Amino acid sequence: MRTFVKIFHSNNDPETLEREINEFIKDKKVIDVKHSISSYALCDEYYSGGGTDYSVLLIYKIRG
């Protein structure tokens, strides 16, 4: 059985990211999950704001 890696990323909607991950793993054997949440700020003379990035790395095997 081979081991695979899949990376997911979102910078706006963690609920949608969660649904995408759950759909992806439903027929796979998950070996490990690594996640990261990063916040950032942007500021210059025209724009000021920021956001949050969500990243997930899945290590999995295909069942069967």
Side-chain angles (χ1 to χ4, degrees):
M1 191 183 289
R2 292 180 53 198
T3 302
F4 300 91
V5 174
K6 175 76 174 173
I7 298 172
F8 292 88
H9 178 263
S10 175
N11 60 1
N12 53 9
D13 184 12
E15 288 80 20
T16 300
L17 179 63
E18 182 179 347
R19 281 192 298 276
E20 289 175 8
I21 292 169
N22 286 332
E23 180 66 25
F24 179 79
I25 65 172
K26 69 181 179 183
D27 60 347
K28 297 167 180 72
K29 179 180 179 185
V30 176
I31 306 301
D32 199 2
V33 177
K34 305 292 184 193
H35 63 90
S36 174
I37 301 172
S38 303
S39 296
Y40 59 90
L42 303 170
C43 185
D44 65 18
E45 61 187 281
Y46 303 107
Y47 175 78
S48 180
T52 304
D53 285 333
Y54 304 91
S55 298
V56 176
L57 182 142
L58 290 173
I59 301 170
Y60 66 95
K61 293 184 179 188
I62 297 175
R63 292 184 180 160

